[in-house]
Amino acid sequence: MTPTTRADCVELDRTDPLAAFREEFVLPEGVIYLDGNSLGALPRATPGRVADMIEREWGRDLIASWNTAGWWDKPRTLGAKIAPLVGADPDEVIVGDGTSTNLFKAVVAALRMSDRDVVLGESGNFPTDLYVTEGAAGLTGAVQRRVDPDGPELAAALATGEVAVLLLSHVDYRSGTLRDLPAITRMAHEHGALVVWDLCHSVGAVPIELSRSGADFAVGCTYKYLNAGPGAPAFLYAARRHHAVADQPLSGWHGHANPFDFAPDYEPAPGVSRFLSGSQPLVADAALEASLDVWAKADMAQVRVKSLAMTDLFLRITTGGRAGLESVTPLDHAHRGSQVALLQPEAGAGYPIVRALIERGVIGDFRAPDVMRFGFTPLYLRYVDVYDAATALVEVVESGEWRQERFSRRAQVT
């Protein structure tokens, strides 16, 4: 059923196989939240799980919880829970540190596995990826190059035979463009390059098959679609075939083969545990565990079907009309993530339009220079929410209310 009216959306919500998941989240009344691609909503189970960790595991059991509550193994047990969401085996994913740190580890480890010295990235990638690659290249003596991954430049750069490591985002953070992970990985391997995938805007949003695609390394955050909370720990994937030779640069105690021998020299742990460095953020781990327990009940195929239907609906209402809104996000399902990025042709219009929409209770976000982003989170978003949000956006633009001066005042976080 393709919805055309609000009544159609109500009916779709009534028969939605994911509808029950909405009750698993705390959602403020009067708010339509389309920013889950930046910070996911709070799972209802999270406060209780975090409180139990603090009051019982820490407060009552104290240091014994490293053993009795499984604190020491949290990086591995949580990694095993993320593994199905990225198409990996349980022993190929580790949780710990942040995205930037894990990117650095993966890029340097991949460089050390190659006799080449070029790190190839995308020119419009999220700044962290660009900055970390720049730093890794500077420390290792590698050369950083950037291309447009959605055009012929990528194939041409790989064909030179000079690229050691390719770092790409699976879903572009601005446009929502979904890259063909299996095909690009295969192309890179054919030219002798290793690939590091950034999954921050795709994990929990689209089905991912890292192992089946032959991926080498991947990193991702857990506070967006996975709903683990601000500052939640990131994860790192390393293909099992690389475990014995991968040499990551942050050789901390938690990545040692026998940490409680307190040996003076470093010996990397077997398996993906060698990518660990320091102590884990166990309070944040508790929040992540609560969210992953929700995701363990979700069917990613159903998530994807609903995501595409919702983004189709939003695009149909907002684009091609008097509002003059244009989509930066591909219309082709095969190349679309779970967000819609729009432009309004008038220069400088994006930010005040988003602020005016937020005042109406519809929360999206803005990315420079002028992109309005709207994330679609199928576990807790309804079709009727999408209809109402799209209608409100058109009204904000057509009425000109966004032109009021107060909407142009920039907040620190946009």
Side-chain angles (χ1 to χ4, degrees), residues 160-189:
T160 64
E162 299 173 345
V163 177
V165 185
L166 172 64
L167 169 60
L168 292 181
S169 284
H170 189 200
V171 171
D172 183 273
Y173 84 102
R174 277 198 185 95
S175 69
T177 300
L178 172 67
R179 278 67 185 256
D180 190 336
L181 188 153
I184 293 175
T185 299
R186 184 167 55 251
M187 178 172 62
H189 287 171

PDB file of all heavy atoms in Angstrom, residues 160-189:
ATOM      1  N   THR A 160      45.328   2.778 -10.105  1.00  0.00           N
ATOM      2  CA  THR A 160      46.746   3.152 -10.150  1.00  0.00           C
ATOM      3  C   THR A 160      47.633   2.104  -9.485  1.00  0.00           C
ATOM      4  O   THR A 160      48.846   2.081  -9.703  1.00  0.00           O
ATOM      5  CB  THR A 160      46.974   4.502  -9.440  1.00  0.00           C
ATOM      6  OG1 THR A 160      46.646   4.366  -8.050  1.00  0.00           O
ATOM      7  CG2 THR A 160      46.130   5.605 -10.078  1.00  0.00           C
ATOM      8  N   GLY A 161      47.034   1.266  -8.627  1.00  0.00           N
ATOM      9  CA  GLY A 161      47.818   0.269  -7.915  1.00  0.00           C
ATOM     10  C   GLY A 161      48.645   0.833  -6.781  1.00  0.00           C
ATOM     11  O   GLY A 161      49.526   0.153  -6.251  1.00  0.00           O
ATOM     12  N   GLU A 162      48.338   2.072  -6.371  1.00  0.00           N
ATOM     13  CA  GLU A 162      49.116   2.735  -5.319  1.00  0.00           C
ATOM     14  C   GLU A 162      48.409   2.757  -3.966  1.00  0.00           C
ATOM     15  O   GLU A 162      49.014   3.081  -2.949  1.00  0.00           O
ATOM     16  CB  GLU A 162      49.425   4.168  -5.736  1.00  0.00           C
ATOM     17  CG  GLU A 162      50.241   4.285  -7.008  1.00  0.00           C
ATOM     18  CD  GLU A 162      50.382   5.725  -7.488  1.00  0.00           C
ATOM     19  OE1 GLU A 162      49.616   6.600  -7.007  1.00  0.00           O
ATOM     20  OE2 GLU A 162      51.255   5.970  -8.330  1.00  0.00           O
ATOM     21  N   VAL A 163      47.122   2.426  -3.946  1.00  0.00           N
ATOM     22  CA  VAL A 163      46.323   2.593  -2.729  1.00  0.00           C
ATOM     23  C   VAL A 163      46.525   1.424  -1.780  1.00  0.00           C
ATOM     24  O   VAL A 163      46.333   0.254  -2.144  1.00  0.00           O
ATOM     25  CB  VAL A 163      44.829   2.736  -3.072  1.00  0.00           C
ATOM     26  CG1 VAL A 163      43.990   2.837  -1.799  1.00  0.00           C
ATOM     27  CG2 VAL A 163      44.599   3.954  -3.955  1.00  0.00           C
ATOM     28  N   ALA A 164      46.880   1.741  -0.553  1.00  0.00           N
ATOM     29  CA  ALA A 164      47.010   0.735   0.501  1.00  0.00           C
ATOM     30  C   ALA A 164      45.676   0.518   1.201  1.00  0.00           C
ATOM     31  O   ALA A 164      45.252  -0.615   1.430  1.00  0.00           O
ATOM     32  CB  ALA A 164      48.061   1.169   1.523  1.00  0.00           C
ATOM     33  N   VAL A 165      45.017   1.619   1.554  1.00  0.00           N
ATOM     34  CA  VAL A 165      43.792   1.565   2.347  1.00  0.00           C
ATOM     35  C   VAL A 165      42.755   2.508   1.759  1.00  0.00           C
ATOM     36  O   VAL A 165      43.061   3.670   1.460  1.00  0.00           O
ATOM     37  CB  VAL A 165      44.054   1.973   3.819  1.00  0.00           C
ATOM     38  CG1 VAL A 165      42.794   1.796   4.649  1.00  0.00           C
ATOM     39  CG2 VAL A 165      45.202   1.176   4.406  1.00  0.00           C
ATOM     40  N   LEU A 166      41.542   2.017   1.620  1.00  0.00           N
ATOM     41  CA  LEU A 166      40.402   2.832   1.216  1.00  0.00           C
ATOM     42  C   LEU A 166      39.489   2.993   2.421  1.00  0.00           C
ATOM     43  O   LEU A 166      39.090   2.001   3.036  1.00  0.00           O
ATOM     44  CB  LEU A 166      39.646   2.154   0.072  1.00  0.00           C
ATOM     45  CG  LEU A 166      38.308   2.778  -0.341  1.00  0.00           C
ATOM     46  CD1 LEU A 166      38.497   4.185  -0.897  1.00  0.00           C
ATOM     47  CD2 LEU A 166      37.598   1.893  -1.362  1.00  0.00           C
ATOM     48  N   LEU A 167      39.180   4.228   2.789  1.00  0.00           N
ATOM     49  CA  LEU A 167      38.261   4.518   3.892  1.00  0.00           C
ATOM     50  C   LEU A 167      37.034   5.222   3.338  1.00  0.00           C
ATOM     51  O   LEU A 167      37.146   6.325   2.788  1.00  0.00           O
ATOM     52  CB  LEU A 167      38.938   5.394   4.954  1.00  0.00           C
ATOM     53  CG  LEU A 167      38.029   5.988   6.037  1.00  0.00           C
ATOM     54  CD1 LEU A 167      37.326   4.898   6.835  1.00  0.00           C
ATOM     55  CD2 LEU A 167      38.823   6.899   6.964  1.00  0.00           C
ATOM     56  N   LEU A 168      35.860   4.597   3.493  1.00  0.00           N
ATOM     57  CA  LEU A 168      34.615   5.172   2.998  1.00  0.00           C
ATOM     58  C   LEU A 168      33.516   5.043   4.044  1.00  0.00           C
ATOM     59  O   LEU A 168      33.502   4.104   4.840  1.00  0.00           O
ATOM     60  CB  LEU A 168      34.141   4.454   1.727  1.00  0.00           C
ATOM     61  CG  LEU A 168      34.950   4.592   0.442  1.00  0.00           C
ATOM     62  CD1 LEU A 168      34.266   3.804  -0.658  1.00  0.00           C
ATOM     63  CD2 LEU A 168      35.125   6.035   0.052  1.00  0.00           C
ATOM     64  N   SER A 169      32.572   5.965   3.984  1.00  0.00           N
ATOM     65  CA  SER A 169      31.343   5.837   4.767  1.00  0.00           C
ATOM     66  C   SER A 169      30.327   5.035   3.961  1.00  0.00           C
ATOM     67  O   SER A 169      30.123   5.300   2.772  1.00  0.00           O
ATOM     68  CB  SER A 169      30.760   7.209   5.102  1.00  0.00           C
ATOM     69  OG  SER A 169      31.494   7.833   6.127  1.00  0.00           O
ATOM     70  N   HIS A 170      29.693   4.074   4.613  1.00  0.00           N
ATOM     71  CA  HIS A 170      28.687   3.251   3.937  1.00  0.00           C
ATOM     72  C   HIS A 170      27.498   4.104   3.502  1.00  0.00           C
ATOM     73  O   HIS A 170      26.982   3.960   2.393  1.00  0.00           O
ATOM     74  CB  HIS A 170      28.240   2.136   4.887  1.00  0.00           C
ATOM     75  CG  HIS A 170      27.385   1.103   4.249  1.00  0.00           C
ATOM     76  ND1 HIS A 170      26.561   0.270   4.976  1.00  0.00           N
ATOM     77  CD2 HIS A 170      27.198   0.745   2.956  1.00  0.00           C
ATOM     78  CE1 HIS A 170      25.934  -0.551   4.169  1.00  0.00           C
ATOM     79  NE2 HIS A 170      26.296  -0.281   2.935  1.00  0.00           N
ATOM     80  N   VAL A 171      27.069   5.012   4.380  1.00  0.00           N
ATOM     81  CA  VAL A 171      26.031   5.998   4.048  1.00  0.00           C
ATOM     82  C   VAL A 171      26.605   7.384   4.267  1.00  0.00           C
ATOM     83  O   VAL A 171      27.135   7.678   5.341  1.00  0.00           O
ATOM     84  CB  VAL A 171      24.766   5.801   4.918  1.00  0.00           C
ATOM     85  CG1 VAL A 171      23.789   6.952   4.722  1.00  0.00           C
ATOM     86  CG2 VAL A 171      24.079   4.482   4.569  1.00  0.00           C
ATOM     87  N   ASP A 172      26.522   8.219   3.256  1.00  0.00           N
ATOM     88  CA  ASP A 172      27.023   9.587   3.345  1.00  0.00           C
ATOM     89  C   ASP A 172      26.217  10.381   4.361  1.00  0.00           C
ATOM     90  O   ASP A 172      24.985  10.403   4.314  1.00  0.00           O
ATOM     91  CB  ASP A 172      26.938  10.253   1.972  1.00  0.00           C
ATOM     92  CG  ASP A 172      27.507  11.651   1.973  1.00  0.00           C
ATOM     93  OD1 ASP A 172      26.737  12.588   2.298  1.00  0.00           O
ATOM     94  OD2 ASP A 172      28.695  11.826   1.664  1.00  0.00           O
ATOM     95  N   TYR A 173      26.922  11.040   5.277  1.00  0.00           N
ATOM     96  CA  TYR A 173      26.230  11.694   6.380  1.00  0.00           C
ATOM     97  C   TYR A 173      25.393  12.894   5.948  1.00  0.00           C
ATOM     98  O   TYR A 173      24.402  13.233   6.590  1.00  0.00           O
ATOM     99  CB  TYR A 173      27.218  12.108   7.475  1.00  0.00           C
ATOM    100  CG  TYR A 173      27.924  13.434   7.264  1.00  0.00           C
ATOM    101  CD1 TYR A 173      27.523  14.576   7.948  1.00  0.00           C
ATOM    102  CD2 TYR A 173      29.002  13.550   6.385  1.00  0.00           C
ATOM    103  CE1 TYR A 173      28.174  15.786   7.761  1.00  0.00           C
ATOM    104  CE2 TYR A 173      29.653  14.747   6.200  1.00  0.00           C
ATOM    105  CZ  TYR A 173      29.244  15.860   6.878  1.00  0.00           C
ATOM    106  OH  TYR A 173      29.884  17.066   6.690  1.00  0.00           O
ATOM    107  N   ARG A 174      25.787  13.565   4.863  1.00  0.00           N
ATOM    108  CA  ARG A 174      25.004  14.714   4.397  1.00  0.00           C
ATOM    109  C   ARG A 174      23.844  14.278   3.502  1.00  0.00           C
ATOM    110  O   ARG A 174      22.698  14.620   3.747  1.00  0.00           O
ATOM    111  CB  ARG A 174      25.892  15.690   3.617  1.00  0.00           C
ATOM    112  CG  ARG A 174      26.676  16.673   4.458  1.00  0.00           C
ATOM    113  CD  ARG A 174      27.137  17.846   3.590  1.00  0.00           C
ATOM    114  NE  ARG A 174      27.997  18.748   4.333  1.00  0.00           N
ATOM    115  CZ  ARG A 174      29.320  18.697   4.322  1.00  0.00           C
ATOM    116  NH1 ARG A 174      29.943  17.756   3.615  1.00  0.00           N
ATOM    117  NH2 ARG A 174      30.044  19.554   5.012  1.00  0.00           N
ATOM    118  N   SER A 175      24.165  13.527   2.462  1.00  0.00           N
ATOM    119  CA  SER A 175      23.166  13.236   1.434  1.00  0.00           C
ATOM    120  C   SER A 175      22.313  12.013   1.723  1.00  0.00           C
ATOM    121  O   SER A 175      21.217  11.866   1.169  1.00  0.00           O
ATOM    122  CB  SER A 175      23.852  13.046   0.076  1.00  0.00           C
ATOM    123  OG  SER A 175      24.609  11.849   0.071  1.00  0.00           O
ATOM    124  N   GLY A 176      22.806  11.113   2.558  1.00  0.00           N
ATOM    125  CA  GLY A 176      22.091   9.868   2.784  1.00  0.00           C
ATOM    126  C   GLY A 176      22.316   8.847   1.689  1.00  0.00           C
ATOM    127  O   GLY A 176      21.622   7.828   1.631  1.00  0.00           O
ATOM    128  N   THR A 177      23.298   9.074   0.827  1.00  0.00           N
ATOM    129  CA  THR A 177      23.608   8.131  -0.250  1.00  0.00           C
ATOM    130  C   THR A 177      24.181   6.838   0.321  1.00  0.00           C
ATOM    131  O   THR A 177      25.128   6.862   1.118  1.00  0.00           O
ATOM    132  CB  THR A 177      24.623   8.744  -1.239  1.00  0.00           C
ATOM    133  OG1 THR A 177      24.059   9.926  -1.815  1.00  0.00           O
ATOM    134  CG2 THR A 177      24.965   7.759  -2.342  1.00  0.00           C
ATOM    135  N   LEU A 178      23.606   5.717  -0.085  1.00  0.00           N
ATOM    136  CA  LEU A 178      24.065   4.397   0.339  1.00  0.00           C
ATOM    137  C   LEU A 178      25.022   3.839  -0.709  1.00  0.00           C
ATOM    138  O   LEU A 178      24.670   3.718  -1.887  1.00  0.00           O
ATOM    139  CB  LEU A 178      22.865   3.462   0.509  1.00  0.00           C
ATOM    140  CG  LEU A 178      23.149   1.980   0.759  1.00  0.00           C
ATOM    141  CD1 LEU A 178      23.823   1.780   2.121  1.00  0.00           C
ATOM    142  CD2 LEU A 178      21.856   1.176   0.683  1.00  0.00           C
ATOM    143  N   ARG A 179      26.246   3.498  -0.276  1.00  0.00           N
ATOM    144  CA  ARG A 179      27.239   2.944  -1.202  1.00  0.00           C
ATOM    145  C   ARG A 179      27.096   1.421  -1.286  1.00  0.00           C
ATOM    146  O   ARG A 179      26.648   0.772  -0.339  1.00  0.00           O
ATOM    147  CB  ARG A 179      28.663   3.292  -0.747  1.00  0.00           C
ATOM    148  CG  ARG A 179      29.174   4.694  -1.142  1.00  0.00           C
ATOM    149  CD  ARG A 179      28.405   5.791  -0.421  1.00  0.00           C
ATOM    150  NE  ARG A 179      28.774   7.123  -0.854  1.00  0.00           N
ATOM    151  CZ  ARG A 179      29.543   7.950  -0.137  1.00  0.00           C
ATOM    152  NH1 ARG A 179      30.061   7.566   1.007  1.00  0.00           N
ATOM    153  NH2 ARG A 179      29.801   9.166  -0.591  1.00  0.00           N
ATOM    154  N   ASP A 180      27.498   0.884  -2.419  1.00  0.00           N
ATOM    155  CA  ASP A 180      27.446  -0.558  -2.660  1.00  0.00           C
ATOM    156  C   ASP A 180      28.658  -1.197  -1.990  1.00  0.00           C
ATOM    157  O   ASP A 180      29.716  -1.351  -2.599  1.00  0.00           O
ATOM    158  CB  ASP A 180      27.441  -0.825  -4.169  1.00  0.00           C
ATOM    159  CG  ASP A 180      27.144  -2.282  -4.501  1.00  0.00           C
ATOM    160  OD1 ASP A 180      27.387  -3.152  -3.639  1.00  0.00           O
ATOM    161  OD2 ASP A 180      26.690  -2.553  -5.631  1.00  0.00           O
ATOM    162  N   LEU A 181      28.488  -1.578  -0.748  1.00  0.00           N
ATOM    163  CA  LEU A 181      29.606  -2.096   0.046  1.00  0.00           C
ATOM    164  C   LEU A 181      30.238  -3.344  -0.567  1.00  0.00           C
ATOM    165  O   LEU A 181      31.470  -3.415  -0.690  1.00  0.00           O
ATOM    166  CB  LEU A 181      29.130  -2.346   1.479  1.00  0.00           C
ATOM    167  CG  LEU A 181      30.162  -2.720   2.542  1.00  0.00           C
ATOM    168  CD1 LEU A 181      29.687  -2.286   3.922  1.00  0.00           C
ATOM    169  CD2 LEU A 181      30.454  -4.217   2.563  1.00  0.00           C
ATOM    170  N   PRO A 182      29.453  -4.332  -0.992  1.00  0.00           N
ATOM    171  CA  PRO A 182      30.085  -5.518  -1.577  1.00  0.00           C
ATOM    172  C   PRO A 182      30.862  -5.210  -2.855  1.00  0.00           C
ATOM    173  O   PRO A 182      31.988  -5.685  -3.036  1.00  0.00           O
ATOM    174  CB  PRO A 182      28.898  -6.449  -1.862  1.00  0.00           C
ATOM    175  CG  PRO A 182      27.823  -5.991  -0.946  1.00  0.00           C
ATOM    176  CD  PRO A 182      27.991  -4.516  -0.844  1.00  0.00           C
ATOM    177  N   ALA A 183      30.270  -4.399  -3.755  1.00  0.00           N
ATOM    178  CA  ALA A 183      30.918  -4.117  -5.036  1.00  0.00           C
ATOM    179  C   ALA A 183      32.184  -3.286  -4.860  1.00  0.00           C
ATOM    180  O   ALA A 183      33.207  -3.546  -5.501  1.00  0.00           O
ATOM    181  CB  ALA A 183      29.948  -3.398  -5.975  1.00  0.00           C
ATOM    182  N   ILE A 184      32.140  -2.280  -3.984  1.00  0.00           N
ATOM    183  CA  ILE A 184      33.318  -1.435  -3.772  1.00  0.00           C
ATOM    184  C   ILE A 184      34.423  -2.224  -3.082  1.00  0.00           C
ATOM    185  O   ILE A 184      35.602  -2.095  -3.431  1.00  0.00           O
ATOM    186  CB  ILE A 184      32.938  -0.179  -2.970  1.00  0.00           C
ATOM    187  CG1 ILE A 184      32.020   0.724  -3.811  1.00  0.00           C
ATOM    188  CG2 ILE A 184      34.183   0.579  -2.531  1.00  0.00           C
ATOM    189  CD1 ILE A 184      31.493   1.938  -3.071  1.00  0.00           C
ATOM    190  N   THR A 185      34.047  -3.059  -2.120  1.00  0.00           N
ATOM    191  CA  THR A 185      35.052  -3.895  -1.455  1.00  0.00           C
ATOM    192  C   THR A 185      35.720  -4.813  -2.468  1.00  0.00           C
ATOM    193  O   THR A 185      36.960  -4.968  -2.474  1.00  0.00           O
ATOM    194  CB  THR A 185      34.394  -4.724  -0.337  1.00  0.00           C
ATOM    195  OG1 THR A 185      33.814  -3.841   0.638  1.00  0.00           O
ATOM    196  CG2 THR A 185      35.420  -5.620   0.348  1.00  0.00           C
ATOM    197  N   ARG A 186      34.916  -5.420  -3.317  1.00  0.00           N
ATOM    198  CA  ARG A 186      35.472  -6.323  -4.336  1.00  0.00           C
ATOM    199  C   ARG A 186      36.416  -5.575  -5.283  1.00  0.00           C
ATOM    200  O   ARG A 186      37.503  -6.061  -5.610  1.00  0.00           O
ATOM    201  CB  ARG A 186      34.324  -6.959  -5.112  1.00  0.00           C
ATOM    202  CG  ARG A 186      34.750  -8.005  -6.136  1.00  0.00           C
ATOM    203  CD  ARG A 186      33.558  -8.810  -6.626  1.00  0.00           C
ATOM    204  NE  ARG A 186      32.502  -7.969  -7.166  1.00  0.00           N
ATOM    205  CZ  ARG A 186      31.319  -7.758  -6.577  1.00  0.00           C
ATOM    206  NH1 ARG A 186      31.051  -8.317  -5.403  1.00  0.00           N
ATOM    207  NH2 ARG A 186      30.413  -6.987  -7.145  1.00  0.00           N
ATOM    208  N   MET A 187      36.021  -4.377  -5.704  1.00  0.00           N
ATOM    209  CA  MET A 187      36.853  -3.589  -6.608  1.00  0.00           C
ATOM    210  C   MET A 187      38.178  -3.216  -5.937  1.00  0.00           C
ATOM    211  O   MET A 187      39.243  -3.299  -6.557  1.00  0.00           O
ATOM    212  CB  MET A 187      36.108  -2.326  -7.050  1.00  0.00           C
ATOM    213  CG  MET A 187      36.920  -1.410  -7.951  1.00  0.00           C
ATOM    214  SD  MET A 187      35.941  -0.048  -8.650  1.00  0.00           S
ATOM    215  CE  MET A 187      35.448   0.834  -7.160  1.00  0.00           C
ATOM    216  N   ALA A 188      38.119  -2.814  -4.670  1.00  0.00           N
ATOM    217  CA  ALA A 188      39.349  -2.452  -3.957  1.00  0.00           C
ATOM    218  C   ALA A 188      40.288  -3.645  -3.854  1.00  0.00           C
ATOM    219  O   ALA A 188      41.498  -3.526  -4.069  1.00  0.00           O
ATOM    220  CB  ALA A 188      38.999  -1.918  -2.574  1.00  0.00           C
ATOM    221  N   HIS A 189      39.737  -4.804  -3.523  1.00  0.00           N
ATOM    222  CA  HIS A 189      40.563  -6.000  -3.396  1.00  0.00           C
ATOM    223  C   HIS A 189      41.188  -6.396  -4.736  1.00  0.00           C
ATOM    224  O   HIS A 189      42.338  -6.869  -4.773  1.00  0.00           O
ATOM    225  CB  HIS A 189      39.726  -7.151  -2.843  1.00  0.00           C
ATOM    226  CG  HIS A 189      39.398  -7.012  -1.400  1.00  0.00           C
ATOM    227  ND1 HIS A 189      38.517  -7.833  -0.731  1.00  0.00           N
ATOM    228  CD2 HIS A 189      39.828  -6.109  -0.464  1.00  0.00           C
ATOM    229  CE1 HIS A 189      38.424  -7.467   0.531  1.00  0.00           C
ATOM    230  NE2 HIS A 189      39.200  -6.422   0.719  1.00  0.00           N
TER     231      HIS A 189
END
